[in-house]
Structure formats: C-alpha cells, structure tokens
Amino acid sequence: MAVLGRFRRHGAASGAPSGAPSGAPSDAPPRASGLTWLSAFRHPWVALLAGAVHTGSFAPSPAWWLQPLALAWLCWAALGARPRRAALLGGLFGVGWLASGLWWLYISMHDFGHLPGVVSGLAVVLLAAFLSLYYALAVGLAARGSGPPWARALAFAALWLAAELARATLFTGFPWIASGYAHTQGPLATFAPWVGVYGITALSACAASALATRAWRLLGVMLLIVSLGQVLPSGFTQPAGELAVSLVQPNIPQDQKFDRDRFEDNLNQLSTLIESARGQLVITPESVLPLPLAWLDPVQTERLQRAAAQRPLLLGTFLGNEQAGYVNSLVALGTPAPYDYGKRHLLPFGEFIPPGFHWFVRAMRIPMDDQAHGTHQRALSFAGQRLRPLICYEDLFGEDVVASALDQGEASATVLVNASNLAWFGPRMVQDQHLQFSQMRALEFQRPLVRATNTGATALVDHEGRVVSRLPAEQAGVLEVRVQGRRGETPYARWLAAFGLWPLWALAVLGLVPVLIHRRRAR
C-alpha cells in the first residue's frame, strides 16, 4: 500500500491521470496549441500595429477610448513575456505610435528642407525610435516585477507615467501626443483642473493595466474614481469681462514666406487682413514678419503703425541683433505702453541646434535656425484683460505656463494667446493635434485660449476646453471672436506652481512599492 501510495503521488505530480501509468496518454488537449495561438497576439509586429491604434485616439479622431485599450494590449503582452521581449514590445509600440503620430515631420524635411525622401522618412523613424527608448525601458522593467495582479498593474502604470514624464522633461522635453492628451474629451477630461495631463495619463494607464492583468478589484476602484470625477467641483474660475479679438490667418505658403521676390505681396496681403479686422485687438501668427522688425522698410512700417492706431496689434516678428541673437517675438503696436514677448521654450532642430547636429540642420537650410531665448513671462494688460502669449509649441508645457494661471504677479493672465506657424508641416493631423494641446491647457487652468496661426488651426477655445470657433485650414481670413476672460486658480495650478512635476514623480515611485515589497519578501 505504501508503494502504491508513492506511485499515485508520482503520477499526480507528473500530470498523468490518477491510477494510470505516468507515460499513459492524457485525454486533455495539449496546451502548446493554445499558447501558440495566444503568442500570435504578442508578436512584435502586433506591437507596431497597437502603437498606430494608440495614435488613432488623438485628434482629429474622437476615439479617446482607443488609448486605454491599446495600452491594455501592451500591458497584457508585456507582462506575459520575458523582460527583454517586453522591452522590445514597448519600444515597437512607441515606434508605431510616434512614427504614425509625427509623420508630418517628413513634410518639413522633404518638401521644405529638400532632403531626399528616404533620408526624411528615416529621420522620422529614428526620432520615434529614440523617444521610444523611454517606453522600452519602462515596459521591460514592468515585466521584471512580481506579485499579485493588482501590484503588477500599479507598477506598469507607474513606470508608464515615469516614461511620459521623462519624455516631457529630458533634453528640453518633447511631449507631443503624450497619452493623456487623448482625453480632452471623455470621462477623464474632468480631472484636468485637478491633476493635469500627466495625472490623467496615470489614471488611464492604471485602468488599462488593471483590465489587462484582470485585477478586478483595482479596476473596480478605478471605475469608482472615474465615476466620482464626474461630480467633482469644477467651477474654479470666474468671468472677468470680455474682449473682442481679431485672429489673423494669412495662409502664406511656407515655401513663399522667405522668398524675397514674394515678400512685398505677402506683406500687402497681411496688411490688408489687419486693416479689415473689427476687434479691439488684432493678433497675428508667429513670425508673420519673417525678419527683424527693425529691418522693415519705413513705408511698410508706417502702414502697419497706421493700422495699429485704429486697432492695437500683437505682431509676430523677430527682435534682437546678430551679436545677442534673434528672438522669435510678439510685439505690441498701438497699445498705451510698449510690450514685447520673446519665445522662451525653443523647438529643437527648428529654433535651436542641439550639439552635434549642425550638419543636419544646415542641410535643410532652415532660416533663423539658431535663435536666442526670450527673457520674461509678463502678460499684456489691455482693455481690462491680461493676455499671456505663448509662441508655437510653448503651450505643450503646462509647468511653464502655470505662473500665468495664478492671480498674482506680472505673469497673471485672464486669457492665454497662442501664435503659431504650422505651415512647415502641412494641414493634416498636426493642426488638430496642436489644437488639442491648447484644449488641455484651457481645461487645466480654466482659462480661454485664442490661437492665431498662419495656415491653421486658428480658433477660440473656451475655459472648458471647447472649440467655440475655428477658421478652415489653408484659407486666408480673419476670425472675429469675443473671448471671456477668467480669474481664479484651479487645484492643479496651485500644486503645480508650488511643486512642479515632482508630485507626479513621487506618485510613480509610490506605484512601485507593492512589487518591491513582494520581491523582497520572496527573497
């Protein structure tokens, strides 16, 4: 009997039916086929596709829900793989996402920089691959974690948040289409004035990873948080009067903007649009004068000043000199007091050249390719409002804008103003993406934001992030809007001004604690 008992225990451990020899065939279906079927959905090529699906959650698409679903796939695939393969999946997901979301950079390099098509396409892929290293590292580390499903889900979300923060801050930052921006509409948008775009990133990543790991209790907690978010207090700012604004969209093709033979015609077109404006203040796009204001012909300067005498003008041009450098600026003409604003957060490769890349930028012959930084952030006081300019992609950095969302100091603003020129990148996708970033800033700080652009998207965004009015892309015209200024401070503005992004970094570290505790106990 003792021998028989040992035989039965051995048979049970080996997977054979009780009472049968260990080598007897089993009636259960082989597990290998099921694993092979599932492994097809974890193939690296699927990661590229999932990344492209992730891009489909951003403007102009309204399908915000694709963002957490695509991320849930990545979490499911990566946490079921070895760390190296998980890192590969994370990196390829990032390449699929960022290459498909930044493809319009090809237009600037090929059509206007005159680089060969192969070189331009390769440059886009290499940029996407470099930025994807953050996600490869994060997902690879997530796969090394152990513990119950809820702990691994939290770790994945924490590392995803850390990767997004790193991309937004290191090497001057390039947070274009960060995952939280997909949620300018949908249930997570209500959290913007509380936790900002990266807090939304964390909430979405946590819900996605809870779904992927089948951590049902954690998923239930996330659904409860989202439900409570719909009834959170939201009226943090109050009306502060109105201002009639004229937003000029000249629609000057980029290949003609710096053409000396076309300069006179372009300036006449711009002046005509300014003279036709009816608002209390006229705002032009950035660098609408593609040369320093001091270089302008006296006759042309006089025409602009006459127009500004009728309606004050915020004009995009350059200030500075060859010794100190030229600054991409907005200059006020016709206002009671002199005012100018210089761009402070410059765009790599387009406005400043990173060390070692002069050869690449010089090959594209970009005018004004190495600019100087602006020096102040004060707002323009006009007609009872305080307007805070932001030039081009400066409105991607809420941490740079937050001083203007507080009711104190010279930077305090009732209206945010973005002046951009996206003609470098064509009309498709990039304009809608940039408009979506402006919507997120309006949601975070509950301030209206007006946009004056060369070819689009010229628009008014209200303090709730809604696009109230917009000119069609690639159409010359003036958008006449009445913007309601706002005063007050959101919770996000208060803690961001006090601590910067450090509370979010702390949240990322905190999310790793459960798996670290489990790993230590296991040892």
Side-chain angles (χ1 to χ4, degrees):
M1 292 297 293
V3 174
L4 181 58
R6 286 197 297 270
F7 173 79
R8 285 180 174 173
R9 285 196 297 271
H10 176 73
S14 64
S18 179
S22 60
S26 171
D27 294 332
R31 297 178 61 194
S33 61
L35 291 174
T36 301
W37 182 81
L38 280 176
S39 65
F41 288 93
R42 291 189 171 107
H43 195 279
W45 292 114
V46 180
L48 284 171
L49 177 61
V53 170
H54 195 259
T55 298
S57 65
F58 298 92
S61 166
W64 57 266
W65 42 270
L66 285 176
Q67 190 276 317
L69 287 182
L71 196 57
W73 175 89
L74 178 60
C75 180
W76 170 78
L79 297 189
R82 294 180 181 275
R84 286 189 180 180
R85 187 173 180 85
L88 175 63
L89 293 173
L92 290 176
F93 181 92
V95 170
W97 162 26
L98 297 172
S100 62
L102 300 173
W103 67 268
W104 37 263
L105 289 170
Y106 174 93
I107 296 173
S108 65
M109 291 183 283
H110 179 260
D111 294 6
F112 303 119
H114 306 293
L115 293 179
V118 173
V119 175
S120 301
L122 182 61
V124 173
V125 174
L126 288 177
L127 174 63
F130 173 74
L131 296 175
S132 296
L133 292 176
Y134 298 115
Y135 306 105
L137 178 61
V139 176
L141 288 174
R144 292 178 61 88
S146 60
W150 65 269
R152 301 195 74 194
L154 283 178
F156 180 91
L159 288 163
W160 186 262
L161 171 62
E164 290 279 55
L165 290 171
R167 180 160 74 94
T169 54
L170 298 182
F171 309 111
T172 79
F174 189 70
W176 200 277
I177 56 172
S179 52
Y181 283 113
H183 299 279
T184 50
Q185 53 185 317
L188 293 185
T190 59
F191 290 92
W194 290 89
V195 297
V197 64
Y198 298 111
I200 291 175
T201 295
L203 289 170
S204 175
C206 195
S209 58
L211 176 64
T213 58
R214 293 181 291 180
W216 303 125
R217 290 184 180 179
L218 178 60
L219 183 60
V221 170
M222 295 307 303
L223 292 176
L224 178 61
I225 290 173
V226 173
S227 299
L228 291 175
Q230 310 315 301
V231 296
L232 284 173
S234 58
F236 300 108
T237 61
Q238 302 78 42
E242 288 190 349
L243 180 67
V245 179
S246 301
L247 305 171
V248 176
Q249 182 171 292
N251 192 39
I252 298 172
Q254 191 61 38
D255 56 353
Q256 298 178 12
K257 185 174 179 180
F258 293 94
D259 187 340
R260 294 186 178 183
D261 296 333
R262 298 296 301 267
F263 180 77
E264 188 75 29
D265 292 339
N266 292 342
L267 186 57
N268 284 335
Q269 177 184 339
L270 172 66
S271 300
T272 300
L273 289 172
I274 292 172
E275 291 162 351
S276 71
R278 303 189 303 274
Q280 295 169 264
L281 178 69
V282 182
I283 303 175
T284 75
E286 70 165 324
S287 64
V288 74
L289 285 183
L291 45 73
L293 186 59
W295 294 7
L296 206 59
D297 184 273
V299 175
Q300 298 165 336
T301 303
E302 184 181 353
R303 183 177 178 182
L304 288 174
Q305 289 175 337
R306 283 199 308 269
Q310 299 297 317
R311 288 175 179 81
L313 171 66
L314 201 54
L315 180 71
T317 183
F318 291 90
L319 297 178
N321 53 56
E322 189 171 350
Q323 290 72 34
Y326 294 102
V327 180
N328 190 355
S329 303
L330 288 173
V331 177
L333 302 179
T335 53
Y339 178 84
D340 65 82
Y341 171 82
K343 187 174 183 181
R344 304 176 73 245
H345 205 130
L346 303 183
L347 179 68
F349 301 101
E351 294 170 333
F352 83 92
I353 306 175
F357 284 93
H358 281 73
W359 63 274
F360 180 74
V361 177
R362 296 292 186 243
M364 292 190 288
R365 302 189 294 276
I366 298 175
M368 299 286 186
D369 58 7
D370 206 1
Q371 300 170 15
H373 292 262
T375 57
H376 61 72
Q377 299 184 67
R378 65 188 176 91
L380 168 65
S381 295
F382 179 78
Q385 301 295 323
R386 292 179 62 83
L387 294 89
R388 166 66 153 91
L390 300 163
I391 297 179
C392 196
Y393 99 133
E394 281 188 316
D395 66 350
L396 269 75
F397 301 90
E399 59 274 23
D400 292 350
V401 182
V402 66
S404 303
L406 303 176
D407 286 335
Q408 56 188 6
E410 287 188 335
S412 175
T414 57
V415 178
L416 302 178
V417 177
N418 182 271
S420 294
N421 173 32
L422 300 178
W424 288 102
F425 312 111
R428 289 174 294 278
M429 190 179 283
V430 63
Q431 295 180 3
D432 295 288
Q433 289 176 349
H434 200 190
L435 178 59
Q436 190 171 43
F437 308 151
S438 296
Q439 291 176 266
M440 181 59 75
R441 295 291 88 79
L443 282 166
E444 288 174 340
F445 304 128
Q446 292 192 350
R447 293 288 193 281
L449 192 151
V450 294
R451 294 173 49 85
T453 68
N454 182 15
T455 55
T458 298
L460 164 62
V461 180
D462 72 8
H463 70 286
E464 295 181 336
R466 297 174 298 198
V467 179
V468 176
S469 185
R470 177 181 179 178
L471 279 181
E474 297 193 309
Q475 174 179 305
V478 179
L479 182 63
E480 303 286 355
V481 299
R482 293 194 67 85
V483 57
Q484 183 186 76
R486 307 284 296 189
R487 287 193 176 92
E489 301 172 356
T490 64
Y492 177 62
R494 293 192 191 101
W495 68 255
L496 184 65
F499 305 110
L501 295 174
W502 287 110
L504 292 164
W505 282 106
L507 181 65
V509 172
L510 188 63
L512 298 176
V513 170
V515 295
L516 294 176
I517 291 175
H518 184 274
R519 189 182 185 93
R520 184 174 181 180
R521 287 177 176 174
R523 286 178 177 175

